[in-house]
Amino acid sequence: MAALSPAPQSYIQSMLDSDAYKYSMQNALLQAYPDVLVKYRFTNRGGTRFTREMFDACQLAINHLETLRLQPEERAFLERRCPYLPKSYLDFLASYRFRPHDQVKFEFVSTTGEKDANGVEWGKFELEISGKWVETILYEVPVMSIISEAYFTHVDTKWDYVGQFVLPSAMPAPDFTRTEQARDKGHRLFEAGCVLSEFGSRRRRTYKAHDIIMRGLIKANEDCGNGQMGKGGKLAGTSNLHFAQKYDLAPIGTIAHELIMGIAALEGYEGSNGRTMDLWEKIYPDGSLGIALTDTFTTRPFFDDFVANPERARRWKGLRQDSGDPIKFIPMAKEAFGKVGADPKTKVVVFSDALDVDRCIELKQAADEAGIGASFGVGTNLTNDFRHVDEPVLQEVPGEGPPRTEGEKSKALNMVIKLYSINDQPCVKISDELTKNTGDPEAVKLVKQRFGLEEHGAEESKWGPTV
């Protein structure tokens, strides 16, 4: 399997190999919070064991980030595809440099104290990123990509790329209905009328896997008429700016939780969703990035802020649902748009929480029945859907051949890098999925009390299904 492992410095090949919302937020920070100091911390939610060899590969790849530069052709792409990013920001990005030696504290903590019988030393990682928010905001996605790729090239190596680029017709019936590979997933989604955005950068298996999946989705989109046939399902684009540039796709992404978390910690939690929306409209007045994120402190405080200013709410194109029960969210979103005098049929819910093909199709049907638009941001299920194989195959053309249908799933890492503090104030996220809460436990408790979540529970809300 060693032949599948790239040199560590190639894990991240481009300054743009990250999610689009990191750059749109960086532009906002440059204008509104240029001197704010933050810390991010890594959490290995799954408790997966790592090795010192993997750590060394990660360290080399993180250090290699300092060599990245925005290339002229990349800037030209941003100018063409992201006209909402001003020249002043593109000048900043052209001069931007990662400084991992100063900004990243990365340590291996041995849990065995010595090597095992196979000469492997096992342990865990401690990782903290600190510095100006406007400078450190770009680390999260590439560092997570690095950790994932290092794990699957140094620890879990019993897998290969066979079948990742497969046509449904390539499978003998009836097995093709069970395959979960890129091109077939695209076919199933587009034929069901789903509008898909690829969101798989941070937990992708490898850069090569990400590239194969992108080519599979693009081919499926072409096979299905680029949204011009049937029910209008199509590939809307990708969150990854590098692959958007490589394949001339639309970059997809607006706001992440960290912007709302940071603004709340700096300026107060009450009304923080609304203040973030106000800032976003000031930075991007044309409304091109008008998809609001709803669950930073559960959906109830968001919807309170949303309907409090109907004129502002009507200007936003839609809402992103990222935790909790998406089926329950649909009537909540429809009710909220109705309360502010907007036609739900003209708005969209972007679903992005742990989606697979079947879930997308189910949610598309539910949204259609409710009379509200829907689109889907699918990540890990696209870029890290592999099976364990005893004898991995090295292919001349990776991804070809019949898909792997036997063997256990080779699971993606369950990890996050989250904003931990801002100007020494703790930052928290209180998800509609309670297991996703992040931040200092005491700070989480205080914020829950502030929003009345201790009494009502994270998902209990006056925003119930009333339609």
Side-chain angles (χ1 to χ4, degrees), residues 268-279:
Y269 284 85
E270 290 83 359
S272 54
N273 287 285
R275 286 198 303 279
T276 304
M277 293 175 75
D278 289 339
L279 171 66

Side-chain angles (χ1 to χ4, degrees), residues 7 13 65 93 98 127 135 192 220-221 261 274-275 294 312 317 334-335 338 351 377 401 410 417 431 436 440 449 462:
Q13 303 180 20
L65 293 175
L93 189 60
F98 287 101
L127 188 150
E135 295 176 353
N221 193 51
M261 292 165 61
R275 286 198 303 279
T294 61
R312 179 184 64 199
K317 295 187 294 186
K334 181 176 181 178
E335 179 184 353
F351 297 96
S410 176
I417 295 175
S431 170
K436 288 187 175 181
D440 176 78
Q449 291 172 347
K462 65 184 179 183

Side-chain angles (χ1 to χ4, degrees), residues 69-131:
R69 305 287 187 271
L70 183 70
Q71 301 301 310
E73 62 274 17
E74 294 174 330
R75 176 167 183 156
F77 170 79
L78 295 178
E79 291 172 342
R80 180 169 59 88
R81 281 287 199 169
C82 305
Y84 46 81
L85 294 176
K87 179 180 182 298
S88 58
Y89 171 69
L90 297 181
D91 290 343
F92 170 84
L93 189 60
S95 65
Y96 175 86
R97 301 291 183 268
F98 287 101
R99 293 186 288 111
H101 292 92
D102 299 328
Q103 296 168 328
V104 181
K105 181 180 179 182
F106 189 40
E107 296 179 353
F108 179 81
V109 180
S110 177
T111 55
T112 59
E114 58 185 16
K115 296 180 179 179
D116 63 18
N118 296 316
V120 177
E121 184 178 3
W122 295 91
K124 61 182 181 179
F125 294 170
E126 291 185 356
L127 188 150
E128 183 176 273
I129 301 162
S130 60

Side-chain angles (χ1 to χ4, degrees), residues 145-179:
S145 299
I146 286 167
I147 292 172
S148 182
E149 182 152 1
Y151 177 76
F152 288 109
T153 53
H154 292 279
V155 181
D156 180 357
T157 61
K158 292 292 187 177
W159 59 273
D160 58 28
Y161 298 107
V162 172
Q164 286 290 324
F165 186 92
V166 67
L167 266 173
S169 59
M171 288 294 296
D175 290 339
F176 76 89
T177 59
R178 294 179 12 239
T179 185

Side-chain angles (χ1 to χ4, degrees), residues 218-324:
I218 291 167
K219 184 60 178 172
N221 193 51
E222 293 172 353
D223 296 340
C224 296
N226 298 304
Q228 302 303 311
M229 298 169 59
K231 297 182 180 180
K234 65 178 181 179
L235 178 63
T238 173
S239 65
N240 186 286
L241 285 181
H242 167 67
F243 285 110
Q245 185 224 345
K246 182 173 182 178
Y247 294 112
D248 196 20
L249 299 172
I252 305 294
T254 56
I255 303 172
H257 297 104
E258 69 174 282
L259 187 64
I260 306 167
M261 292 165 61
I263 289 174
L266 283 174
E267 302 178 11
Y269 284 85
E270 290 83 359
S272 54
N273 287 285
R275 286 198 303 279
T276 304
M277 293 175 75
D278 289 339
L279 171 66
W280 204 247
E281 288 192 320
K282 181 180 178 181
I283 301 295
Y284 301 108
D286 67 352
S288 58
L289 301 183
I291 301 293
L293 183 57
T294 61
D295 69 328
T296 307
F297 309 116
T298 75
T299 53
R300 181 162 60 85
F302 169 82
F303 280 123
D304 287 343
D305 284 4
F306 188 73
V307 302
N309 188 332
E311 184 178 350
R312 179 184 64 199
R314 288 194 296 270
R315 290 193 295 266
W316 286 67
K317 295 187 294 186
L319 308 172
R320 180 157 75 90
Q321 191 271 343
D322 196 52
S323 68

Side-chain angles (χ1 to χ4, degrees), residues 396-414:
E396 285 190 24
V397 182
E400 292 191 343
R404 300 291 192 183
T405 57
E406 298 180 355
E408 295 181 356
K409 285 281 189 178
S410 176
K411 293 182 179 180
L413 293 177
N414 184 2

